[in-house]
Amino acid sequence: MPVRTFVRLAVGCATALAVATTTTLVSTAQASPRAAADPAVITDWNAIAVRTIFTEGQQPPPAGQLYLGFVSTAVYDAVAAIDGRYAPYAKQPRPRAHASSQAAAATAAYKVLSHYFPASQQALSSDYAASLAKIREGAGKTHGIQAGKAAAATLVRLRTGDGRGADVTLDVTPAPGVWRPTPPASAPMLVPWLGFVRPLLLKSPTQIPPAGPYALNSAAYTRDFDEVKAVGVASGGSRTPAQTETARFWSDNLIRQFQTAFRDQAARRHLNIADSARMFAVLNAASADAAIACWRGKYDHAYWRPSTAIQLADTDGNPATTADPAWSPLVANPPYPDYPSGHACLTGATTAGLSHLFGARHIDLTVDSAVTGTTRHYATADALNQETKSARVWLGIHFRKATTDGNQLGRAVSRWALGHYFRHVGR
């Protein structure tokens, strides 16, 4: 770049003035309108986040969703501060003129992931260099990087001391209706601290409490008991081949399935960088809070799994239930209580978010499963909600009430969040 830069400024309609200065250098990026940002940076860094959190960081799905919420929120804030159409999640410094939202998004994601997953630093640095190489040099790129750093630093500061990894254990006395570790691993409750983490959006983990499971001596409990006993058993029950296929389809890592589907959404709907960043923030931050609220419900209710309930039905005080000590589910139980269903909580938050963004009858979601090697398409929120709720029963790992209330909890969390965050400026 020459030491002395000349900039021609149009004044009025006809007057032109050549101005030279030895003290101020004006780059091409400053003198020209901001180049259109490539929205692929949002989906690229979502894929990097999934790899970092789950493959390299080995986070279990519910905890992994929390970190996806962190990344998506910081990226959204970096882009929103520059774009100006949506209100940032947290107050951000005013970006410099013509800051690159593409550089801001990549930087925010890189900084958040590097902070929480330092073991992945080498891979993340390589990813970040590749992202920045796609953006032309100039002040816009520099200012975008600054905006991304600011958004990431704000997010990290806000999450300091939020309760992640706290020393929390679920210590309950075995009794009818009470959860206990299940074979074959008989492991204690996974990430019990999650239910005590400060939410991203909700005021507290218990702001929207689930209704609670049915009483063991109720007709409703008997109905749910009989259903899962018949269709959730490993073999010999009344589950159809189609139901088995659906159950297995949804036995994959749900969060990985949804993130892949979200990236497909952004691409097929041709979302610009601001709308793409907002979509991921809406879906991932609300799902993070749904996971927190769900895990608190699991901790507080500590309700037994169907396999325990069926094997020990002669202790439940309900004469309408019959014990089967040899009963086992289609897949092994995950190591945490039945109620409410985490899978249903996350799906409810997802369908409510997609409904808000695109319409409940037009979610147009394509989902793949590494378990079955197949892909399914869902046009409506209701179709996705109903199938996923039933799938957990057909797997034999949830009572129907856990899936119904979990889905409702996730939707309630998302609706509340969307009434308070990620809104258009001025609305």
Side-chain angles (χ1 to χ4, degrees):
M1 185 177 188
V3 174
R4 190 183 303 268
T5 302
F6 296 92
V7 181
R8 185 175 301 275
L9 302 177
V11 179
C13 296
T15 304
L17 178 64
V19 178
T21 174
T22 59
T23 59
T24 304
L25 301 179
V26 182
S27 71
T28 303
Q30 288 174 299
S32 305
R34 183 167 63 247
D38 185 355
V41 68
I42 306 297
T43 51
D44 287 348
W45 276 94
N46 173 262
I48 292 167
V50 170
R51 182 202 73 206
T52 303
I53 293 167
F54 295 111
T55 304
E56 298 166 4
Q58 291 294 295
Q59 291 294 309
Q65 181 62 64
L66 181 63
Y67 288 108
L68 281 170
F70 291 175
V71 176
S72 296
T73 300
V75 169
Y76 165 81
D77 268 5
V79 173
I82 295 170
D83 181 82
R85 287 184 296 139
Y86 301 115
Y89 164 78
K91 186 176 181 180
Q92 300 296 318
R94 189 180 187 88
R96 298 286 295 277
H98 304 308
S100 164
S101 55
Q102 188 174 337
T107 302
Y110 167 68
K111 287 293 184 179
V112 171
L113 288 168
S114 296
H115 177 80
Y116 292 112
F117 300 93
S120 294
Q121 184 61 59
Q122 184 174 354
L124 290 169
S125 294
S126 177
D127 294 326
Y128 185 50
S131 283
L132 292 185
K134 299 175 183 178
I135 306 168
R136 71 182 184 186
E137 296 299 327
K141 181 176 181 177
T142 300
H143 296 158
I145 291 171
Q146 292 171 346
K149 288 180 178 178
T154 298
L155 185 283
V156 169
R157 176 177 55 81
L158 291 174
R159 299 312 303 181
T160 300
D162 63 1
R164 280 172 295 111
D167 186 14
V168 177
T169 57
L170 178 59
D171 185 14
V172 292
T173 301
V178 177
W179 178 80
R180 64 211 66 190
T182 53
S186 296
M189 182 180 181
L190 183 70
V191 293
W193 52 261
L194 183 61
F196 295 83
V197 166
R198 185 171 68 247
L200 278 157
L201 313 172
L202 296 177
K203 297 177 181 178
S204 78
T206 58
Q207 179 181 330
I208 306 175
Y214 292 131
L216 297 182
N217 60 357
S218 67
Y221 173 78
T222 303
R223 181 188 65 236
D224 279 8
F225 177 98
D226 289 341
E227 179 189 24
V228 71
K229 185 179 183 182
V231 300
V233 66
S235 62
S238 60
R239 186 181 57 249
T240 68
Q243 290 171 337
T244 299
E245 175 73 8
T246 298
R248 293 182 63 248
F249 181 93
W250 287 110
S251 66
D252 197 356
N253 179 339
L254 177 70
I255 299 171
R256 197 282 309 163
Q257 288 179 284
F258 278 164
Q259 300 306 309
T260 303
F262 299 161
R263 295 195 295 272
D264 175 68
Q265 279 272 302
R268 285 192 296 106
R269 291 182 184 272
H270 304 289
L271 300 183
N272 63 33
I273 192 168
D275 289 331
S276 185
R278 180 173 180 251
M279 181 191 76
F280 278 98
V282 164
L283 298 173
N284 281 329
S287 290
D289 275 16
I292 292 169
C294 184
W295 245 248
R296 184 54 176 268
K298 287 180 179 293
Y299 186 95
D300 289 345
H301 291 286
Y303 199 64
W304 61 4
R305 287 280 179 178
S307 58
T308 307
I310 294 168
Q311 291 167 11
L312 302 179
D314 54 354
T315 70
D316 64 14
N318 185 336
T321 63
T322 303
D324 181 354
W327 194 94
S328 62
L330 179 61
V331 297
N333 290 304
Y336 33 83
D338 162 76
Y339 183 93
S341 161
H343 195 283
C345 287
L346 293 172
T347 303
T350 296
T351 55
L354 290 171
S355 296
H356 175 86
L357 293 168
F358 309 122
R361 297 185 61 82
H362 304 283
I363 66 169
D364 189 25
L365 195 72
T366 300
V367 185
D368 74 274
S369 174
V371 175
T372 60
T374 58
T375 300
R376 297 187 176 204
H377 180 265
Y378 302 88
T380 70
D382 185 65
L384 181 57
N385 284 332
Q386 296 306 323
E387 180 173 289
T388 50
K389 286 188 292 185
S390 291
R392 307 312 275 177
V393 178
W394 297 336
L395 284 171
I397 60 176
H398 278 298
F399 290 107
R400 176 73 61 175
K401 183 74 155 59
T403 69
T404 300
D405 288 9
N407 187 274
Q408 183 177 4
L409 175 58
R411 287 185 284 123
V413 168
S414 183
R415 285 195 297 265
W416 188 90
L418 288 166
H420 295 79
Y421 294 92
F422 313 122
R423 294 182 293 185
H424 286 81
V425 172
R427 293 188 186 178

